[in-house]
Coordinates of all heavy atoms in Angstrom, one line a residue:
M1 N 0.8 -1.2 0.0 CA 0.0 0.0 0.0 C 0.9 1.2 0.0 O 1.9 1.3 0.7 CB -0.9 0.0 1.2 CG -1.7 1.2 1.4 SD -2.7 1.2 2.9 CE -4.3 0.7 2.2
A2 N 0.5 2.2 -0.8 CA 1.4 3.4 -1.0 C 1.5 4.2 0.3 O 2.5 4.7 0.7 CB 0.8 4.3 -2.0
G3 N 0.4 4.3 1.1 CA 0.5 5.0 2.4 C 1.5 4.4 3.3 O 2.2 5.1 4.0
D4 N 1.6 3.1 3.4 CA 2.5 2.4 4.3 C 4.0 2.7 3.8 O 4.9 3.0 4.6 CB 2.3 0.9 4.3 CG 1.0 0.5 5.0 OD1 0.5 1.3 5.8 OD2 0.5 -0.6 4.7
A5 N 4.2 2.7 2.5 CA 5.5 3.0 1.9 C 5.9 4.4 2.2 O 7.0 4.7 2.6 CB 5.6 2.7 0.4
D6 N 4.9 5.4 2.1 CA 5.2 6.8 2.4 C 5.5 7.0 3.9 O 6.5 7.7 4.2 CB 4.0 7.6 2.0 CG 3.7 7.6 0.5 OD1 4.6 7.2 -0.2 OD2 2.6 8.1 0.2
L7 N 4.8 6.3 4.7 CA 5.1 6.4 6.2 C 6.5 5.8 6.5 O 7.2 6.4 7.3 CB 4.0 5.6 7.0 CG 4.2 5.6 8.5 CD1 4.2 7.1 9.0 CD2 3.1 4.8 9.1
R8 N 6.9 4.7 5.8 CA 8.2 4.1 6.0 C 9.3 5.1 5.6 O 10.3 5.3 6.3 CB 8.3 2.8 5.3 CG 9.5 2.0 5.6 CD 9.5 0.6 5.1 NE 9.0 0.4 3.7 CZ 7.7 0.0 3.4 NH1 6.9 -0.3 4.3 NH2 7.4 -0.1 2.1
F9 N 9.1 5.8 4.4 CA 10.0 6.8 4.0 C 10.2 7.9 5.1 O 11.3 8.2 5.4 CB 9.5 7.6 2.7 CG 10.0 6.9 1.5 CD1 9.0 6.5 0.6 CD2 11.3 6.8 1.1 CE1 9.4 5.9 -0.6 CE2 11.7 6.2 -0.1 CZ 10.7 5.7 -0.9
L10 N 9.1 8.4 5.6 CA 9.2 9.4 6.6 C 9.9 8.9 7.9 O 10.8 9.6 8.5 CB 7.8 9.9 7.0 CG 7.7 11.0 8.0 CD1 8.5 12.2 7.6 CD2 6.2 11.4 8.2
Q11 N 9.5 7.7 8.4 CA 10.1 7.1 9.6 C 11.6 6.9 9.4 O 12.4 7.2 10.3 CB 9.5 5.8 9.9 CG 8.1 6.0 10.5 CD 7.3 4.7 10.6 OE1 7.6 3.7 9.9 NE2 6.4 4.7 11.5
D12 N 12.0 6.4 8.2 CA 13.5 6.2 7.9 C 14.2 7.5 7.9 O 15.3 7.6 8.4 CB 13.6 5.5 6.6 CG 13.2 4.0 6.7 OD1 13.0 3.5 7.8 OD2 13.1 3.4 5.6
C13 N 13.6 8.6 7.4 CA 14.3 9.9 7.3 C 14.4 10.4 8.7 O 15.5 10.9 9.1 CB 13.4 10.9 6.5 SG 13.6 10.7 4.7
L14 N 13.4 10.3 9.5 CA 13.4 10.8 10.9 C 14.5 10.1 11.7 O 15.1 10.6 12.6 CB 12.1 10.8 11.6 CG 11.0 11.7 11.0 CD1 9.6 11.4 11.6 CD2 11.4 13.2 11.3
A15 N 14.6 8.8 11.4 CA 15.6 8.0 12.2 C 17.0 8.2 11.7 O 18.0 7.6 12.3 CB 15.2 6.5 12.1
G16 N 17.2 8.9 10.6 CA 18.5 9.1 10.0 C 19.1 7.9 9.3 O 20.3 7.8 9.2
K17 N 18.2 7.0 8.8 CA 18.7 5.8 8.2 C 19.5 6.2 6.9 O 19.0 7.1 6.1 CB 17.5 4.9 7.8 CG 17.8 3.6 7.2 CD 16.6 2.8 7.0 CE 16.9 1.4 6.4 NZ 15.7 0.7 6.1
T18 N 20.6 5.5 6.6 CA 21.4 5.8 5.5 C 20.6 5.6 4.2 O 19.9 4.6 4.0 CB 22.6 4.8 5.5 OG1 23.3 4.9 6.7 CG2 23.5 5.0 4.3
G19 N 20.7 6.7 3.4 CA 20.0 6.6 2.1 C 18.5 7.0 2.1 O 17.9 7.2 1.0
A20 N 18.0 7.2 3.3 CA 16.6 7.5 3.4 C 16.2 8.9 2.8 O 15.2 9.0 2.1 CB 16.1 7.4 4.8
W21 N 17.0 9.9 3.1 CA 16.7 11.2 2.6 C 16.8 11.2 1.1 O 15.9 11.8 0.4 CB 17.7 12.2 3.2 CG 17.4 13.6 2.6 CD1 18.3 14.3 1.8 CD2 16.3 14.4 2.9 NE1 17.7 15.5 1.5 CE2 16.5 15.6 2.1 CE3 15.1 14.3 3.6 CZ2 15.6 16.7 2.1 CZ3 14.2 15.3 3.6 CH2 14.4 16.5 2.8
E22 N 17.8 10.6 0.5 CA 18.0 10.5 -0.9 C 16.8 9.8 -1.6 O 16.3 10.3 -2.6 CB 19.3 9.8 -1.3 CG 20.5 10.6 -1.0 CD 20.9 10.5 0.5 OE1 20.3 9.7 1.3 OE2 21.9 11.2 0.9
A23 N 16.3 8.8 -1.0 CA 15.1 8.0 -1.5 C 13.9 8.9 -1.4 O 13.1 8.9 -2.3 CB 14.9 6.7 -0.7
F24 N 13.8 9.7 -0.3 CA 12.6 10.6 -0.1 C 12.6 11.6 -1.2 O 11.6 11.9 -1.8 CB 12.7 11.2 1.3 CG 11.6 12.2 1.6 CD1 10.4 11.7 2.1 CD2 11.7 13.5 1.3 CE1 9.4 12.6 2.4 CE2 10.7 14.4 1.6 CZ 9.5 13.9 2.1
V25 N 13.8 12.2 -1.4 CA 13.9 13.3 -2.5 C 13.6 12.7 -3.8 O 12.8 13.3 -4.6 CB 15.3 13.9 -2.4 CG1 15.5 14.8 -3.6 CG2 15.5 14.7 -1.1
R26 N 14.1 11.6 -4.2 CA 13.8 11.0 -5.5 C 12.3 10.7 -5.7 O 11.8 11.0 -6.7 CB 14.6 9.6 -5.7 CG 16.0 9.8 -6.1 CD 16.6 8.5 -6.6 NE 16.5 7.4 -5.6 CZ 17.3 7.2 -4.6 NH1 18.4 8.0 -4.4 NH2 17.1 6.2 -3.7
R27 N 11.7 10.3 -4.6 CA 10.3 9.9 -4.7 C 9.4 11.1 -4.8 O 8.4 11.2 -5.6 CB 9.9 9.0 -3.6 CG 8.4 8.7 -3.6 CD 8.1 7.7 -2.5 NE 6.7 7.4 -2.4 CZ 6.0 6.4 -3.0 NH1 6.7 5.5 -3.6 NH2 4.7 6.3 -2.8
F28 N 9.7 12.1 -4.0 CA 8.7 13.2 -3.8 C 9.1 14.5 -4.5 O 8.2 15.4 -4.7 CB 8.5 13.5 -2.3 CG 7.7 12.4 -1.7 CD1 8.4 11.5 -0.8 CD2 6.4 12.1 -1.9 CE1 7.8 10.5 -0.2 CE2 5.7 11.1 -1.4 CZ 6.4 10.2 -0.5
A29 N 10.3 14.7 -5.0 CA 10.7 15.9 -5.7 C 9.8 16.3 -6.9 O 9.5 17.4 -7.0 CB 12.2 15.8 -6.1
P30 N 9.5 15.3 -7.7 CA 8.6 15.7 -8.9 C 7.3 16.3 -8.4 O 6.8 17.2 -9.1 CB 8.5 14.4 -9.6 CG 9.6 13.5 -9.2 CD 9.9 13.9 -7.8
Y31 N 6.7 15.7 -7.4 CA 5.4 16.2 -6.9 C 5.6 17.6 -6.3 O 4.8 18.5 -6.6 CB 4.8 15.3 -5.9 CG 4.6 13.9 -6.4 CD1 5.4 12.8 -6.0 CD2 3.6 13.6 -7.4 CE1 5.2 11.5 -6.5 CE2 3.4 12.3 -7.8 CZ 4.2 11.3 -7.4 OH 4.1 10.0 -7.9
L32 N 6.6 17.8 -5.5 CA 6.8 19.1 -4.9 C 7.2 20.1 -5.9 O 6.8 21.3 -5.8 CB 7.9 18.9 -3.8 CG 7.5 18.1 -2.6 CD1 8.7 17.8 -1.7 CD2 6.4 18.8 -1.8
A33 N 8.0 19.7 -7.0 CA 8.3 20.7 -8.0 C 7.1 21.1 -8.8 O 6.9 22.3 -9.1 CB 9.3 20.0 -9.0
G34 N 6.2 20.3 -9.0 CA 4.9 20.6 -9.6 C 4.1 21.6 -8.7 O 3.5 22.6 -9.2
A35 N 4.1 21.4 -7.4 CA 3.4 22.3 -6.5 C 4.1 23.7 -6.5 O 3.5 24.7 -6.5 CB 3.4 21.7 -5.1
C36 N 5.5 23.7 -6.6 CA 6.2 24.9 -6.6 C 5.9 25.7 -7.9 O 5.7 26.9 -7.9 CB 7.7 24.6 -6.6 SG 8.3 24.0 -5.0
L37 N 5.8 25.0 -9.0 CA 5.5 25.6 -10.3 C 4.1 26.2 -10.3 O 4.0 27.4 -10.7 CB 5.6 24.6 -11.4 CG 5.2 25.0 -12.8 CD1 6.2 26.1 -13.3 CD2 5.3 23.9 -13.8
R38 N 3.1 25.5 -9.8 CA 1.8 26.1 -9.7 C 1.7 27.3 -8.8 O 1.0 28.2 -9.1 CB 0.8 25.0 -9.3 CG 0.6 23.9 -10.3 CD -0.5 23.0 -9.9 NE -0.2 22.2 -8.7 CZ 0.5 21.1 -8.7 NH1 1.1 20.7 -9.8 NH2 0.7 20.5 -7.6
T39 N 2.5 27.2 -7.7 CA 2.5 28.3 -6.7 C 3.1 29.6 -7.3 O 2.5 30.7 -7.2 CB 3.2 27.9 -5.4 OG1 2.5 26.8 -4.8 CG2 3.2 29.1 -4.4
L40 N 4.2 29.4 -8.0 CA 4.9 30.5 -8.7 C 3.9 31.1 -9.7 O 3.8 32.4 -9.8 CB 6.2 30.1 -9.3 CG 7.3 29.8 -8.4 CD1 8.5 29.0 -9.1 CD2 7.9 31.1 -7.7
K41 N 3.3 30.3 -10.5 CA 2.4 30.8 -11.5 C 1.2 31.6 -10.9 O 0.8 32.6 -11.3 CB 1.9 29.7 -12.4 CG 3.0 29.3 -13.4 CD 2.4 28.2 -14.3 CE 3.5 27.8 -15.3 NZ 3.0 26.8 -16.3
R42 N 0.6 31.0 -9.8 CA -0.5 31.6 -9.2 C -0.2 32.9 -8.6 O -1.0 33.8 -8.5 CB -1.0 30.6 -8.1 CG -2.3 31.1 -7.5 CD -3.0 30.0 -6.5 NE -2.0 29.4 -5.6 CZ -1.7 28.1 -5.6 NH1 -2.3 27.3 -6.5 NH2 -0.9 27.6 -4.8
C43 N 1.1 33.1 -8.1 CA 1.6 34.4 -7.6 C 2.0 35.3 -8.6 O 2.5 36.4 -8.3 CB 2.6 34.1 -6.5 SG 2.1 33.2 -5.1
G44 N 2.0 34.9 -9.9 CA 2.4 35.8 -11.0 C 3.9 36.0 -11.0 O 4.4 37.0 -11.6
R45 N 4.7 35.1 -10.5 CA 6.1 35.1 -10.6 C 6.7 34.3 -11.7 O 6.0 33.4 -12.2 CB 6.7 34.7 -9.2 CG 6.3 35.6 -8.1 CD 6.9 35.3 -6.8 NE 8.3 35.1 -6.8 CZ 9.0 34.5 -5.9 NH1 8.3 34.0 -4.8 NH2 10.3 34.3 -6.0
R46 N 7.9 34.6 -12.1 CA 8.6 33.8 -13.1 C 8.6 32.3 -12.6 O 8.7 32.0 -11.5 CB 10.0 34.2 -13.3 CG 10.2 35.5 -14.0 CD 11.6 35.8 -14.5 NE 12.0 34.8 -15.4 CZ 13.2 34.3 -15.5 NH1 14.2 34.7 -14.7 NH2 13.6 33.4 -16.4
S47 N 8.4 31.4 -13.6 CA 8.3 30.0 -13.2 C 9.2 29.1 -14.1 O 8.8 28.0 -14.4 CB 6.9 29.5 -13.3 OG 6.3 29.8 -14.6
G48 N 10.3 29.6 -14.5 CA 11.3 28.8 -15.2 C 11.9 27.8 -14.4 O 11.7 27.7 -13.2
P49 N 12.7 26.9 -15.0 CA 13.3 25.8 -14.3 C 14.2 26.2 -13.1 O 14.2 25.6 -12.0 CB 14.2 25.1 -15.3 CG 13.6 25.5 -16.6 CD 13.0 26.8 -16.4
D50 N 14.9 27.3 -13.2 CA 15.8 27.8 -12.1 C 14.9 28.3 -10.9 O 15.3 28.0 -9.8 CB 16.7 28.9 -12.6 CG 17.8 28.5 -13.6 OD1 18.1 27.3 -13.6 OD2 18.3 29.3 -14.3
E51 N 13.9 29.0 -11.2 CA 13.0 29.4 -10.1 C 12.3 28.3 -9.4 O 12.2 28.3 -8.2 CB 11.9 30.4 -10.7 CG 12.5 31.8 -11.1 CD 13.2 31.7 -12.5 OE1 12.9 30.8 -13.3 OE2 14.0 32.6 -12.7
V52 N 11.9 27.3 -10.2 CA 11.2 26.1 -9.6 C 12.3 25.4 -8.7 O 12.0 25.0 -7.6 CB 10.6 25.2 -10.6 CG1 10.2 23.9 -10.0 CG2 9.5 25.9 -11.4
E53 N 13.5 25.2 -9.2 CA 14.5 24.5 -8.5 C 14.9 25.3 -7.2 O 15.1 24.6 -6.1 CB 15.8 24.3 -9.3 CG 16.9 23.6 -8.7 CD 16.6 22.1 -8.3 OE1 15.7 21.5 -9.0 OE2 17.2 21.6 -7.4
D54 N 15.0 26.6 -7.3 CA 15.3 27.4 -6.1 C 14.2 27.2 -5.0 O 14.5 27.0 -3.8 CB 15.4 28.9 -6.4 CG 16.7 29.2 -7.2 OD1 17.6 28.4 -7.2 OD2 16.7 30.3 -7.7
M55 N 12.9 27.3 -5.5 CA 11.8 27.1 -4.5 C 11.8 25.7 -3.9 O 11.6 25.5 -2.8 CB 10.5 27.4 -5.2 CG 9.3 27.5 -4.3 SD 7.9 28.1 -5.2 CE 6.7 28.3 -3.9
L56 N 12.1 24.7 -4.8 CA 12.1 23.3 -4.3 C 13.2 23.1 -3.3 O 13.0 22.5 -2.2 CB 12.3 22.4 -5.5 CG 12.3 20.9 -5.2 CD1 11.0 20.4 -4.6 CD2 12.6 20.1 -6.5
Q57 N 14.4 23.7 -3.5 CA 15.4 23.6 -2.5 C 15.0 24.3 -1.2 O 15.4 23.8 -0.1 CB 16.7 24.2 -3.1 CG 17.3 23.5 -4.2 CD 17.6 22.0 -3.9 OE1 18.2 21.8 -2.8 NE2 17.3 21.1 -4.8
T58 N 14.3 25.4 -1.3 CA 13.8 26.1 -0.1 C 12.9 25.2 0.7 O 12.9 25.1 1.9 CB 13.1 27.4 -0.5 OG1 14.1 28.2 -1.1 CG2 12.6 28.1 0.8
V59 N 12.0 24.4 0.0 CA 11.1 23.5 0.6 C 11.8 22.4 1.3 O 11.6 22.1 2.5 CB 10.1 22.9 -0.4 CG1 9.3 21.8 0.2 CG2 9.2 24.0 -1.0
F60 N 12.8 21.8 0.6 CA 13.6 20.7 1.3 C 14.4 21.2 2.5 O 14.5 20.5 3.5 CB 14.5 20.0 0.2 CG 13.8 19.1 -0.7 CD1 13.9 19.1 -2.0 CD2 12.9 18.1 -0.1 CE1 13.3 18.2 -2.8 CE2 12.3 17.2 -0.9 CZ 12.4 17.3 -2.3
L61 N 14.9 22.4 2.3 CA 15.6 23.0 3.5 C 14.7 23.2 4.7 O 15.1 22.9 5.8 CB 16.3 24.3 3.0 CG 17.1 25.0 4.1 CD1 18.3 24.2 4.5 CD2 17.6 26.4 3.6
S62 N 13.5 23.6 4.4 CA 12.6 23.8 5.5 C 12.2 22.5 6.2 O 12.0 22.4 7.4 CB 11.3 24.5 5.0 OG 10.5 23.6 4.3
F63 N 12.3 21.4 5.4 CA 12.0 20.1 6.0 C 13.2 19.7 7.0 O 13.0 19.0 8.0 CB 12.0 19.0 5.0 CG 10.7 19.0 4.1 CD1 10.7 18.3 2.9 CD2 9.6 19.8 4.4 CE1 9.5 18.3 2.1 CE2 8.5 19.8 3.7 CZ 8.4 19.0 2.5
L64 N 14.4 20.1 6.6 CA 15.6 19.7 7.4 C 15.9 20.7 8.6 O 16.6 20.4 9.5 CB 16.8 19.7 6.5 CG 16.7 18.6 5.4 CD1 17.9 18.8 4.5 CD2 16.7 17.2 6.0
K65 N 15.3 21.9 8.5 CA 15.7 23.0 9.4 C 15.3 22.5 10.9 O 14.3 21.9 11.1 CB 14.9 24.2 9.1 CG 15.3 25.4 10.0 CD 14.6 26.6 9.6 CE 15.0 27.7 10.6 NZ 14.2 28.9 10.5
D66 N 16.2 22.7 11.8 CA 16.1 22.4 13.2 C 15.8 20.9 13.4 O 15.1 20.5 14.3 CB 15.0 23.3 13.8 CG 15.3 24.7 13.8 OD1 16.5 25.1 13.9 OD2 14.4 25.6 13.6
D67 N 16.3 20.1 12.5 CA 16.2 18.6 12.6 C 14.8 18.2 12.5 O 14.3 17.3 13.1 CB 16.9 18.2 13.9 CG 17.6 16.8 13.7 OD1 17.8 16.4 12.6 OD2 17.9 16.2 14.7

């Protein structure tokens, strides 16, 4: 079940399991990039690949901030 796999990704990341963060990023980056693109467009901001990547990196950084 996808929900169980998603929960396992999250638990592995929180536990600091080797490779967990990389697996999380590979799995969810495309979905988050799409959300970033839609948000940029909705706000009337440039939405080229560099802007989307910058916003995506900000999202991932916020996940990691303060552990």
Side-chain angles (χ1 to χ4, degrees):
M1 175 182 260
D4 292 339
D6 295 344
L7 180 59
R8 192 169 42 257
F9 272 120
L10 181 57
Q11 289 171 332
D12 289 348
C13 284
L14 291 171
K17 186 175 177 183
T18 302
W21 177 250
E22 292 80 6
F24 181 88
V25 170
R26 277 192 308 275
R27 180 173 172 100
F28 293 105
Y31 302 109
L32 292 169
C36 291
L37 178 63
R38 289 187 299 278
T39 300
L40 287 166
K41 285 183 177 182
R42 190 173 42 243
C43 294
R45 295 184 50 200
R46 286 192 66 216
S47 56
D50 290 339
E51 289 77 20
V52 171
E53 182 65 24
D54 288 347
M55 189 174 188
L56 183 58
Q57 293 302 317
T58 300
V59 169
F60 282 130
L61 182 61
S62 72
F63 290 167
L64 296 171
K65 187 177 179 194
D66 298 326
D67 217 17

